[in-house]
Amino acid sequence: MTKKVVLVVEYNGSAYKGWQAQKFGVPSVQENLEKALAVITNHPVKVICAGRTDSGVHASAQVVHFETDVERNERAWTLGVNTYLPSDISVVAARNVSDDFHARFSAVSRRYRYVIYSSDLRPAILAKGVTWTYKKLDADVMKEAAKVFLGTHDFTSFRAVGCQANTPIRTVLNFNVQKLGQYIVLDVRANAFLHHMIRNFAGVLMTIGAGEKPISWAKDVLEAKDRCQGGITAPPDGLYFVDAQYPEPFNVPTAPLGTSLFTIHRRAAL
């Protein structure tokens, strides 16, 4: 009997050309996960994720589902699958779900965090885990500017030129900016995101935080509905997919909100 299984997956995207499996020889997170699952299930597996991530982007709680006719316990779907995964990909939770669950279409919101390291000197250990800027950023100014993005808007100015979404209309449910020492974390939840949307938010807010543009520029860019007015696209290094929310009846497993960097420094500040 075919059953549906949901996994929560953590990965460091630095070595991959994004989530999605691509042509032969191009490393992706999806390809590695499907290969590992095939070993445990003894048959080919196709996984579907809550939200695709780009080249170099990370995840602390990517949600995926797949179908299988074999019976395995949670230990097999976590520890067993991890045995066949590279060290920068890990399954952190697993559960059987109902047949009507879909990792992408059942999600009511997705959440990302973008971690900026503001310092005169570049980091070494976290070189691919944060976006570094030598500029001094004012997090309070960035937080004020981000308020304009809340609600339902046409985010054409914040979508990549090659974005394939049918509409630029999205609803941003929460947008928080928090300073933790030399780190600034953008925490954004929306019903869905456009290609490069978070990185373009970050590019605009970093420009405002550095004092190069006024707070009002965020609204100007939004209302322009023109990507050319939106400034630079921030690097992928500091971007993390941290959560997908689903209706309670699906009983999807959860993981602590990432990144671990954010959690560590939040605790240290208490």
Side-chain angles (χ1 to χ4, degrees):
M1 180 179 177
T2 301
K3 56 184 67 65
K4 190 170 284 188
V5 180
V6 64
L7 305 177
V8 179
V9 185
E10 176 181 300
Y11 53 86
N12 180 329
S14 302
Y16 302 100
K17 296 298 182 181
W19 160 267
Q20 189 174 10
Q22 302 177 50
K23 60 185 179 181
F24 181 76
V26 178
S28 71
V29 180
Q30 182 183 9
E31 179 184 18
N32 278 277
L33 182 58
E34 289 178 346
K35 286 181 177 179
L37 283 167
V39 176
I40 300 299
T41 61
N42 296 314
H43 66 73
V45 172
K46 178 73 172 180
V47 299
I48 296 175
C49 72
R52 298 174 184 172
T53 53
D54 293 336
S55 178
V57 176
H58 321 292
S60 61
Q62 176 69 268
V63 178
V64 310
H65 82 259
F66 65 94
E67 295 183 356
T68 181
D69 57 3
V70 302
E71 187 70 40
R72 299 286 187 270
N73 59 27
E74 182 178 339
R75 187 179 180 87
W77 295 135
T78 53
L79 295 177
V81 173
N82 287 344
T83 301
Y84 298 98
L85 285 171
S87 60
D88 50 10
I89 305 174
S90 179
V91 178
V92 297
R95 184 172 294 160
N96 289 339
V97 287
S98 59
D99 290 341
D100 57 342
F101 175 81
H102 193 284
R104 178 183 175 190
F105 297 125
S106 298
V108 295
S109 70
R110 286 103 174 143
R111 187 171 179 177
Y112 284 84
R113 282 177 173 161
Y114 193 87
V115 183
I116 304 162
Y117 181 66
S118 176
S119 173
D120 292 337
L121 303 174
R122 63 174 176 82
I125 294 174
L126 297 173
K128 292 297 183 180
V130 298
T131 287
W132 168 64
T133 178
Y134 64 88
K135 299 175 182 178
K136 301 298 183 184
L137 302 181
D138 187 329
D140 291 332
V141 167
M142 295 167 68
K143 185 172 185 176
E144 184 64 28
K147 292 179 180 178
V148 74
F149 302 138
L150 291 170
T152 302
H153 302 284
D154 180 331
F155 286 102
T156 296
S157 294
F158 297 91
R159 70 189 297 188
V161 173
C163 179
Q164 298 179 356
N166 293 328
T167 173
I169 307 298
R170 294 292 186 268
T171 300
V172 174
L173 302 165
N174 301 100
F175 200 134
N176 187 43
V177 179
Q178 185 173 6
K179 183 175 176 60
L180 301 159
Q182 291 178 292
Y183 300 94
I184 296 175
V185 180
L186 313 184
D187 190 334
V188 191
R189 186 168 66 92
N191 64 333
F193 290 90
L194 300 166
H195 192 200
H196 287 176
M197 186 170 167
I198 298 291
R199 291 169 60 188
N200 289 328
F201 280 158
V204 166
L205 293 179
M206 289 170 71
T207 299
I208 292 172
E212 298 168 2
K213 292 284 187 179
I215 290 175
S216 60
W217 186 57
K219 184 177 181 181
D220 294 341
V221 173
L222 178 65
E223 294 181 345
K225 300 176 185 177
D226 179 358
R227 177 67 200 109
C228 294
Q229 302 301 312
I232 64 167
T233 298
D237 303 327
L239 184 56
Y240 296 79
F241 184 105
V242 300
D243 191 29
Q245 292 188 322
Y246 298 91
E248 285 188 15
F250 286 123
N251 196 27
V252 175
T254 59
L257 283 176
T259 64
S260 57
L261 168 72
F262 177 86
T263 304
I264 290 169
H265 282 269
R266 181 181 62 187
R267 288 174 177 170
L270 295 178

